[in-house]
Amino acid sequence: MTEGRPHTLGATFDGEGVNFAVFSEHARRMTLCLFSPDGKQETHRIDLPERDGDVWHGYVAGLRPGQLYGLRADGPYAPHMGHRFNYHKLLIDPYAKRLTGHPQWHDALMGYTIGSPDADLSFDTRDSAPYMPRCVVEDPSFNWGRDTAPNTPIAQSVIYEAHVKGLTALRQGVPHRGTFLGLASDQMLDHMTRLGITALELLPVQAFLNDRFLVEKGLVNYWGYQTLGFFAPDPRYMAHAQLSEFQHMVARLHSAGIEVILDVVYNHTCEGSELGPTLAFRGLDNRSYYRLAQDPRYYINDTGTGNTVNIEHPMVLRMVLDSLRYWVQVMHVDGFRFDLCSTLGRTPTGFDRGAAFFDAIRQDPVLTKVKLIAEPWDIGPGGYQVGGFPPPFLEWNDKYRDGVRRFWRGDVGQVPTLADRLTGSALQFDHSGRPATSSVNFVTAHDGFTLMDVVSYDTKHNEANGEENRDGHGENVSDNMGVEGPTEDPKIAAARAQRRRNMLATLLLSQGTPMILAGDEIGNSQRGNNNAYCQDNPTGWIDWDEADEDLMRFVRRLVAFRKDHPILRQKRFLHSRERAVDGIEDLFWRHPDGTPMSNEDWGDSSLRVLCAEMRMASGTPPYAQREEALFLVFNAGDPVVVTLPPTAGGRQWTLCIDTNTPDALPHPVTRAPLKVPARSVLAFVLEPSRD
């Protein structure tokens, strides 16, 4: 071993050997452990010979990709000072590009002795190596050929949130189901392209841990929100243990014009509280990697998982940025959705939209070119920050989800709320130069009921999770419409189908960036489980055999309609006369009889119908003005007679979308006024008269 270089962290192959570099501010010694090809024998322990600042480094000539390795860090075991070094524990390199598997639960994974008084203050001397996966030296180069990122403008994006395994596990004819290669199959590409989505947002694919309490109950961590390595794809999604499988998937999706967005978890790690295992960060430098309480024996827990990553430490921030750039530059992904993103912006004085993480992202020439989506909440103080993030971040908008569900459930006084959600939630997002696309609109997501379950269950049914149905959200803003769960009643089934069409139509007719939960387009159900994080089985997988083909055709039609009509996907916020900065209206709220809505009308809690005429926002460049107007009707009540806005100059209104007759072809409206069916959505386009 020679001194090597400190500049590039992790294990870097240069064609002749491998450079190792590891950050630890408080360690006294850093040891590289090499293993035999089968991983069973630890063949060498070599102390990294040099330290530059807080980076330990060394170079081993002759090592090649495929070499298995791990780390051991020596330093003080002083929990009351925040230090938990234990040289007996084999550690994952935070920059490892691939892992051989997952930790196998054993008490030796703990840095302390379980069962002793003040357990975490004790010191365990058992070697954890037999139960730990190995890091793998990788050369991540890949022949990308003519791969080109789609670079879909966010205003034209339709996001499809999916789980790698859940999307493909039950899809007949897909090779390598449940893996990256399965996602890259012809069958899956055909489904996504015909659906019309532009971006596939994947639940966590970075290596993650199966929690011990789940394994002991015969379950696993299915969703993946317990990160073990920020650079390594999770081994369970690779059919042949090759990085190229992920890269192949990305290239295939790009060839179909579909972007890849990763759900990433940088707010916490899988090591939990002071009673959790020592797998990587805790053993390398607990005091640097984690935010500690006033008594540094304990952790600040703004995430609800037992720990919080110390994103304010410059080397920890660097690790996160290095990870993001790696996934963009080496793996060619197109964006990220940040789990519990409020945590990443929290400082000792609270949430700060100018925190180091946001400032670092906003000045980065690589990361400012990709899509950045925040989950704008956590459980810490002041953690709910919908609308509070700086550009260029988009944000998940749970206000949209709940407002749309309440309107279609028939709750009183929801027309003003729907009006705000329909126009991009301007109260939250119309500031700081942010576009209307900042709001990521959704009616369902992985966390909660599927769309089928929103209309089929009043309460959650999470008994299979083994927590006596205590887990998951208690308030789902759902409605079983008369029967809890599946039903043979044709009237209830028809009403459920109608409401699903209504909510999907509302989603795709709203300003903002729409996100569809995979499976909703075919009526997938999780049987009332609203927290399927541990259900790696048919409960959590999409049931393709029971696909609702009629609904799928309708969703394709909705997506195509959105793409054909730029009025629905504007960057600028629409404003009625009272709110128009330049006095020019581009948004008209009307009563069914055609008269304008007054300020007093919005306070009428008996309203069940919302009629909106939309035009291109004032100030829109001429090249974007390709159509004149849309007229949208959202009727959550009984049948109502609607008078369409007047036309002139050889123009006519064409009915293009009607959730009551989803297969009807577009046709001009020749009779006025028009009877709108109960509980339905209609969309009209102002067009030149066909006469």
Side-chain angles (χ1 to χ4, degrees), residues 103-412:
Q104 300 174 33
W105 280 106
H106 189 276
D107 288 352
L109 295 179
M110 307 297 178
Y112 62 92
T113 302
I114 293 178
S116 60
D118 288 323
D120 70 294
L121 300 181
S122 62
F123 187 76
D124 187 271
T125 60
R126 287 172 290 184
D127 186 4
S128 67
Y131 314 103
M132 285 291 290
R134 314 305 184 212
C135 305
V136 186
V137 174
E138 283 284 354
D139 177 2
S141 59
F142 179 75
N143 182 9
W144 287 97
R146 297 182 179 180
D147 178 64
T148 302
N151 288 323
T152 305
I154 194 61
Q156 298 176 20
S157 295
V158 178
I159 299 172
Y160 188 67
E161 191 198 26
H163 186 282
V164 172
K165 185 173 184 180
L167 187 60
T168 60
L170 296 178
R171 186 65 186 264
Q172 297 297 324
V174 170
H176 306 294
R177 288 185 289 178
T179 69
F180 299 128
L181 294 181
L183 265 184
S185 66
D186 290 340
Q187 293 93 324
M188 298 314 304
L189 292 183
D190 179 67
H191 175 75
M192 288 183 276
T193 53
R194 292 179 66 196
L195 190 61
I197 60 104
T198 67
L200 176 64
E201 182 178 306
L202 295 175
L203 269 66
V205 301
Q206 295 173 343
F208 57 89
L209 181 72
N210 288 318
D211 308 71
R212 189 171 195 170
F213 79 95
L214 290 176
V215 173
E216 290 175 348
K217 292 191 293 186
L219 300 170
V220 298
N221 181 351
Y222 173 57
W223 282 351
Y225 292 93
Q226 287 283 42
T227 310
L228 176 60
F230 294 118
F231 293 77
D234 195 275
R236 74 192 75 194
Y237 300 139
M238 293 188 285
H240 307 295
Q242 296 179 358
L243 289 186
S244 59
E245 297 175 48
F246 182 91
Q247 294 163 315
H248 171 76
M249 175 195 72
V250 172
R252 288 272 290 164
L253 287 163
H254 282 180
S255 71
I258 298 172
E259 296 181 312
V260 179
I261 298 173
L262 300 187
D263 194 335
V264 289
V265 187
Y266 295 111
N267 59 82
H268 72 278
T269 79
C270 64
E271 291 184 306
S273 71
E274 67 278 359
L275 299 178
T278 297
L279 307 173
F281 314 96
R282 174 174 286 132
L284 287 170
D285 194 343
N286 185 66
R287 194 176 180 96
S288 295
Y289 279 103
Y290 294 115
R291 292 180 62 208
L292 303 181
Q294 186 172 0
D295 179 352
R297 174 185 175 185
Y298 303 105
Y299 297 80
I300 291 175
N301 184 22
D302 289 337
T303 64
T305 65
N307 66 58
T308 304
V309 171
N310 185 17
I311 203 75
E312 288 192 292
H313 192 290
M315 293 301 289
V316 179
L317 177 59
R318 174 185 169 180
M319 177 187 69
V320 171
L321 294 174
D322 284 348
S323 169
L324 292 170
R325 283 189 291 263
Y326 172 79
W327 288 99
V328 173
Q329 295 178 304
V330 178
M331 309 300 265
H332 284 208
V333 305
D334 306 282
F336 304 94
R337 179 265 191 187
F338 295 89
D339 178 65
L340 302 185
C341 197
S342 294
T343 300
L344 303 179
R346 183 170 283 105
T347 68
T349 59
F351 177 82
D352 182 0
R353 68 199 306 267
F357 171 75
F358 298 130
D359 286 349
I361 290 278
R362 295 174 73 188
Q363 62 77 45
D364 191 285
V366 173
L367 301 179
T368 51
K369 295 178 182 178
V370 301
K371 293 178 173 62
L372 305 170
I373 304 171
E375 182 185 37
W377 50 74
D378 65 15
I379 67 167
Y384 188 78
Q385 290 292 331
V386 173
F389 285 73
F393 279 84
L394 315 180
E395 301 177 36
W396 272 26
N397 186 357
D398 64 331
K399 291 180 180 292
Y400 183 95
R401 175 197 65 198
D402 295 346
V404 171
R405 290 189 187 185
R406 288 192 176 100
F407 176 83
W408 288 113
R409 189 172 65 174
D411 293 13
V412 298

Side-chain angles (χ1 to χ4, degrees), residues 54-133:
D54 298 323
V55 176
W56 304 75
H57 56 95
Y59 180 86
V60 182
L63 289 189
R64 294 288 184 267
Q67 174 65 53
L68 307 185
Y69 74 101
L71 300 168
R72 296 179 188 270
D74 197 9
Y77 190 84
H80 284 302
M81 297 177 64
H83 300 308
R84 294 183 178 272
F85 292 97
N86 189 329
Y87 194 74
H88 303 282
K89 309 305 172 183
L90 185 72
L91 305 174
I92 297 295
D93 174 9
Y95 279 70
K97 305 301 189 299
R98 185 164 69 85
L99 302 179
T100 57
H102 303 90
Q104 300 174 33
W105 280 106
H106 189 276
D107 288 352
L109 295 179
M110 307 297 178
Y112 62 92
T113 302
I114 293 178
S116 60
D118 288 323
D120 70 294
L121 300 181
S122 62
F123 187 76
D124 187 271
T125 60
R126 287 172 290 184
D127 186 4
S128 67
Y131 314 103
M132 285 291 290

Side-chain angles (χ1 to χ4, degrees), residues 2-41:
T2 55
E3 65 178 35
R5 303 171 302 279
H7 313 299
T8 303
L9 296 175
T12 305
F13 175 65
D14 65 2
E16 297 182 357
V18 179
N19 188 81
F20 296 90
V22 183
F23 158 73
S24 180
E25 181 179 347
H26 299 101
R28 292 192 292 251
R29 175 174 53 140
M30 188 67 61
T31 301
L32 171 67
C33 304
L34 301 180
F35 290 86
S36 59
D38 61 6
K40 296 180 179 180
Q41 183 179 358

Side-chain angles (χ1 to χ4, degrees), residues 478-665:
S478 61
D479 177 14
N480 67 20
M481 306 183 73
V483 174
E484 187 74 355
T487 180
E488 298 294 330
D489 188 319
K491 291 184 178 179
I492 293 177
R496 288 176 176 178
Q498 175 78 5
R499 187 170 295 180
R500 284 184 286 139
R501 291 195 296 270
N502 289 342
M503 288 194 280
L504 287 167
T506 305
L507 174 66
L508 288 159
L509 295 174
S510 296
Q511 304 293 325
T513 304
M515 183 183 79
I516 301 170
L517 174 65
D520 278 354
E521 75 276 17
I522 62 170
N524 185 62
S525 171
Q526 292 178 172
R527 300 164 186 83
N529 191 318
N530 75 347
N531 189 32
Y533 76 104
C534 56
Q535 297 297 322
D536 188 6
N537 53 51
T539 295
W541 303 340
I542 294 175
D543 186 355
W544 294 96
D545 289 341
E546 297 296 323
D548 184 338
E549 298 290 342
D550 293 335
L551 179 61
M552 185 157 55
R553 283 196 304 272
F554 183 65
V555 176
R556 290 173 184 160
R557 184 173 175 182
L558 287 173
V559 174
F561 183 81
R562 181 180 183 86
K563 290 184 176 181
D564 288 342
H565 298 284
I567 285 178
L568 295 173
R569 41 185 177 81
Q570 303 185 59
K571 291 181 63 178
R572 289 174 171 81
F573 285 91
L574 300 177
H575 296 99
S576 56
R577 184 175 297 278
E578 294 78 7
R579 297 184 180 180
V581 176
D582 54 8
I584 300 176
E585 287 181 275
D586 39 48
L587 176 64
F588 305 83
W589 301 112
R590 303 186 187 279
H591 286 288
D593 64 5
T595 59
M597 292 276 288
S598 68
N599 289 334
E600 293 74 20
D601 292 335
W602 292 105
D604 183 357
S605 62
S606 66
L607 288 178
R608 292 292 186 275
V609 59
L610 178 66
C611 302
E613 181 183 349
M614 296 181 179
R615 297 178 180 269
M616 294 304 295
S618 58
T620 299
Y623 62 81
Q625 298 183 20
R626 302 208 317 260
E627 60 182 339
E628 294 185 55
L630 298 179
F631 186 66
L632 309 176
V633 180
F634 302 87
N635 180 22
D638 295 330
V640 62
V641 175
V642 172
T643 299
L644 299 178
T647 62
R651 301 291 191 267
Q652 68 180 17
W653 288 107
T654 298
L655 177 58
C656 295
I657 299 293
D658 181 352
T659 60
N660 195 62
T661 55
D663 294 327
L665 296 175

